[in-house]
């Protein structure tokens, strides 16, 4: 599920392009850690260096959570890129905050969840919204959901800055019964990139084809 307001989707897409948090290179594709060739690279941590963009994203995420998950009691960030975004949102909403590692720490207290997460809230299990910066297949994000649920939390949903919109991600989130809200998405980004003359019109077919079959694109 994406944020309903088209203006938010467009504004976030424009911000990501303006600060080069997103780069589009269909003729010189990037290689992801998975080995996939990709015409897009997204690093939303870049937005943290730009106060105006950082504040817009923080407030948009907070608004989306209040609209979609009004029962939220705790914000949890996904390590590592979701940690600062989650902290900003928790502060905006005046809510408790924690962050979750991919795996338990190998030393010290061996924690996977950092910060305090109460087993019980005023109305039972604490209701948590997870903050992620970017959704690709959803695999790593949903591992955080598993960890929170195992710790006794009720995960009511996840909010992210951007999604590639892979069908596999939709399937994965549905299988885990996790509602997902994203501020912007790949389709909106391509529309705004063309409007801003960031990409030529003839590149659109290749960019659209990548999203349909990313593992085979560019081979």
């Amino acid at each position: 599920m994406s944020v309903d307001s088209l203006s938010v989707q467009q504004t976030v897409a424009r911000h990501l392009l303006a600060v080069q948090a997103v780069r589009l290179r269909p003729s010189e594709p990037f290689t992801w850690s998975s080995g996939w060739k990709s015409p897009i690279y997204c690093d939303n941590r870049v937005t943290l260096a730009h106060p105006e963009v950082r504040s817009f994203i923080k407030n948009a995420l907070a608004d989306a959570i209040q609209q979609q998950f009004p029962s939220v009691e705790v914000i949890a960030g996904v390590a590592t890129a979701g940690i600062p975004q989650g902290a900003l949102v928790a502060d905006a909403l005046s809510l408790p905050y924690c962050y979750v590692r991919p795996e338990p720490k190998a030393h010290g207290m061996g924690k996977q969840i950092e910060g305090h997460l109460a087993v019980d809230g005023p109305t039972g299990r604490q209701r948590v919204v997870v903050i992620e910066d970017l959704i690709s297949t959803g695999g790593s994000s949903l591992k955080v959901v598993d960890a929170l649920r195992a710790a006794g939390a009720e995960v009511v949903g996840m909010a992210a800055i951007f999604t590639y919109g892979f069908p596999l991600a939709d399937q994965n989130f549905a299988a885990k019964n996790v509602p997902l809200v994203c501020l912007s998405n790949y389709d909106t980004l391509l529309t705004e990139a063309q409007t801003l003359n960031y990409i030529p019109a003839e590149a659109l077919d290749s960019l659209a084809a990548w999203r349909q079959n990313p593992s085979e694109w560019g081979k």
Side-chain angles (χ1 to χ4, degrees):
M1 176 169 56
S2 295
V3 173
D4 290 335
S5 172
L6 181 59
S7 63
V8 171
Q9 294 178 20
Q10 293 171 326
T11 302
V12 169
R14 288 186 174 226
H15 278 322
L16 297 181
L17 289 166
V19 302
Q20 295 189 322
V22 169
R23 295 172 183 262
L24 293 168
R25 281 193 341 209
S27 59
E28 298 178 70
F30 302 93
T31 302
W32 287 3
S33 59
S34 62
W36 288 3
K37 296 294 183 182
S38 171
I40 181 172
Y41 187 80
C42 184
D43 180 5
N44 290 326
R45 287 167 290 202
V46 173
T47 64
L48 298 168
H50 302 270
E52 180 182 354
V53 176
R54 182 180 69 216
S55 293
F56 184 90
I57 288 173
K58 173 191 70 177
N59 292 327
L61 283 169
D63 289 346
I65 290 167
Q66 287 180 314
Q67 292 169 16
Q68 301 292 338
F69 312 118
S71 67
V72 61
E73 297 173 306
V74 179
I75 298 296
V78 177
T80 58
I83 292 176
Q85 307 292 351
L88 289 166
V89 171
D91 191 58
L93 294 174
S94 297
L95 288 174
Y97 177 67
C98 63
Y99 71 84
V100 188
R101 303 174 186 276
E103 304 290 343
K105 205 171 179 182
H107 56 278
M109 297 294 291
K111 289 183 177 181
Q112 185 169 6
I113 299 173
E114 297 286 0
H116 181 65
L117 179 67
V119 175
D120 297 307
T123 58
R125 293 190 303 158
Q126 282 203 302
R127 295 184 291 269
V128 179
V129 170
V130 178
I131 301 294
E132 182 63 287
D133 74 322
L134 171 68
I135 302 297
S136 52
T137 64
S140 58
S141 307
L142 290 169
K143 285 183 180 178
V144 165
V145 172
D146 290 340
L148 288 165
R149 286 174 171 168
E154 177 186 352
V155 178
V156 296
M158 187 178 299
I161 298 172
F162 186 79
T163 177
Y164 293 123
F166 294 144
L168 179 58
D170 295 337
Q171 296 166 18
N172 288 338
F173 276 88
K176 292 285 187 179
N177 193 27
V178 179
L180 174 64
V181 174
C182 297
L183 297 184
S184 196
N185 55 72
Y186 188 66
D187 289 339
T188 301
L189 183 87
L190 293 188
T191 299
E192 294 305 306
Q194 188 179 16
T195 300
L196 297 169
N197 294 319
Y198 193 90
I199 52 171
E202 57 268 23
L204 285 178
D205 286 345
S206 178
L207 288 163
W210 169 77
R211 208 264 303 277
Q212 295 307 312
N213 194 3
S215 63
E216 296 300 317
W217 186 89
K219 292 185 178 179

